[in-house]
Structures are given as structure tokens and as C-alpha cells.
Amino acid sequence: MENPVLRCAIVDDEPLALSLMVSYVRKTPFLSLAGAYSSAVEALGAFRTVPVDLVFLDIQMPELDGLDFSRMIDKSVKIVFTTAFDRYAIDGYKVNAVDYLLKPISYKDFLEAAGRVLERMGESREAVPGALSVARNSFFVKSEYRYIQIYFDEILYVEGLKDYVKIYLSGTREPVLSHISMKAVEARLPASEFIRIHRSFIVRKDRIRSIERSGVVVCDANASMEGRRIPVGENYREQLRRFMEGRMSE
């Protein structure tokens, strides 16, 4: 995947557990593997030169255990503890771990933990002025038990449905349904490419084919489908008018 969102490392002294976690990372589209280490001492040396956003960290290890290791690395690195001993759970959260996975770890649990880290990273980066999303030309949304990468140039429009949104994409694919607010989606989309025309609708500017008295028609440039008429909210008419005047003057 181009421009992976999170660079992660795995630290575990059990070869089978290490191999399993490596396989999980490699099939997760928003993760890239920065390194896999069989000891915390080895990882500590590597972290001086290898940038990492997230570490899946075993707690019970010889020489240097995971809890002590977690206190020695940069505080910006997110931690997901992995262990066979649930008595360590409370200790794990004392060092601000994002999550805690009990072995044997299923891919579903792994994916949900990685997704929580992705959401935290997204929230922190969106707080920076000008930041659009954790990926330069896309963002991830959770749909059921998967995290789906949504590319800006594939979006036709976004429809808000109470606590959910539907993201309509180019082609004949079904819309992506995600439990996320319109405000959160709008924060991730570049204003140069998208415009909000209604409390419940955001559209891609270059997919607007016509403007009517109370709505716009959005078409998929890559398909022979008929355009979809989308209403314009009263509070958004002036913004749409300015956009169209700017397009006509180009």
C-alpha cells in the first residue's frame, strides 16, 4: 500500500507468537512493519534509528520486560501489550497502553486494537491546523469489523444518517457504511475538493454536473449511471453560490 498510515514494531521472545503477529501486520492495509524483535533489549537499540508509531509488546520477557521497556521509549509511541497473563492488565494501563491483548490472539482482536490506535492517531493529527487525515490522499473508516481505506478521488458524495454515514464511491460498488459523524468526515476531507451543501450531504466538487433551484446533480464520471439529485440546505446556499461563481470565472 502506498503511504501506509502506521509504522509498527513487534517485540516478543516467543518465536511462534512473533511470527503470528508479523503475519497479522502484513495483511492489515493500514500497517507497515518497521521491525520484529525477539527481545526488548534488541528493540531498544533499533528504536534509536527506526521510526515507529505503534509497538505490539509482550510483557513477560527476560532481561528487560515489556513494562520497563514501555517506560524507556518515546511517549509518542502507542503501545498495545500482548501477554498470556491477565494479571498484568492493570499494570499495562498504568503506562498508558492503548490496548491489551490476551494470548492466543485472534486476528479480529488484533485488528480492533490496531484500529483503536489508528483512531487515536487520527484524532491527534486532526487537531493540528491544516491536517486532513492520517493519510495524504485517503483516510480509513471502520465498517463492521474491517477498516476500509477511502481514497478522496473515488468519493462521489457522503450522506449522514444520524450516528452513521454512507460514503458513495465511483463505480457500481455499494456505499460504505460507517459509525462516524459527518463532522469527523468533513474534517478529513480537503476543502479544495469537497463542499458541504446540506446538513446531511457532502459532495465532491468535480462530480457536480448541474445545479437546480433546490438541489445539485452528482454524476459518476466513470460510469453510465444516471446522476443523483441531492438537496441543498438553506444554510449552505451562499457557500454553494460562491463556489459556482468561482468555477464560472475560471
Side-chain angles (χ1 to χ4, degrees), residues 48-239:
R48 294 191 179 97
T49 57
V50 177
V52 171
D53 300 309
L54 162 66
V55 57
F56 292 94
L57 180 60
D58 186 26
I59 293 179
Q60 187 80 349
M61 291 185 290
E63 295 183 296
L64 180 65
D65 68 31
L67 291 173
D68 289 335
F69 174 84
S70 68
R71 298 182 179 99
M72 300 171 69
I73 61 176
D74 193 293
K75 288 182 173 56
S76 66
V77 178
K78 300 297 185 286
I79 296 169
V80 173
F81 280 124
T82 63
T83 184
F85 304 99
D86 57 9
R87 64 190 175 88
Y88 285 103
I90 296 176
D91 288 334
Y93 284 103
K94 284 182 179 177
V95 292
N96 297 319
V98 175
D99 214 333
Y100 168 89
L101 295 174
L102 185 64
K103 296 178 180 179
I105 299 166
S106 69
Y107 181 63
K108 175 181 176 292
D109 290 342
F110 171 90
L111 185 61
E112 290 182 347
R116 279 187 278 274
V117 177
L118 180 70
E119 290 168 0
R120 283 202 184 184
M121 297 292 285
E123 290 167 1
S124 64
R125 295 184 194 187
E126 282 165 20
V128 179
L132 300 173
S133 65
V134 292
R136 294 177 61 185
N137 62 346
S138 65
F139 64 101
F140 283 84
V141 295
K142 185 178 182 181
S143 183
E144 296 181 338
Y145 292 110
R146 298 180 300 156
Y147 282 83
I148 300 175
Q149 187 174 24
I150 306 293
Y151 286 93
F152 298 151
D153 60 6
E154 293 184 346
I155 298 174
L156 296 176
Y157 63 95
V158 180
E159 180 181 6
L161 303 166
K162 292 186 178 179
D163 296 329
Y164 290 82
V165 300
K166 278 186 177 181
I167 303 174
Y168 292 81
L169 305 173
S170 298
T172 58
R173 289 170 291 174
E174 291 293 319
V176 175
L177 181 67
S178 180
H179 187 272
I180 187 174
S181 68
M182 285 288 280
K183 181 179 179 181
V185 172
E186 188 173 23
R188 287 167 163 82
L189 297 175
S192 60
E193 299 177 34
F194 293 87
I195 183 170
R196 190 162 185 174
I197 63 168
H198 189 279
R199 182 170 56 89
S200 300
F201 289 98
I202 300 170
V203 301
R204 185 173 172 84
K205 291 177 179 179
D206 63 7
R207 295 293 182 261
I208 298 176
R209 291 295 174 262
S210 65
I211 296 182
E212 303 171 358
R213 182 171 182 178
S214 60
V216 302
V217 175
V218 175
C219 290
D220 186 346
N222 301 317
S224 58
M225 61 179 283
E226 292 186 3
R228 165 75 190 270
R229 185 180 178 281
I230 298 175
V232 176
E234 189 65 37
N235 294 335
Y236 299 88
R237 292 184 186 280
E238 179 62 23
Q239 179 176 316

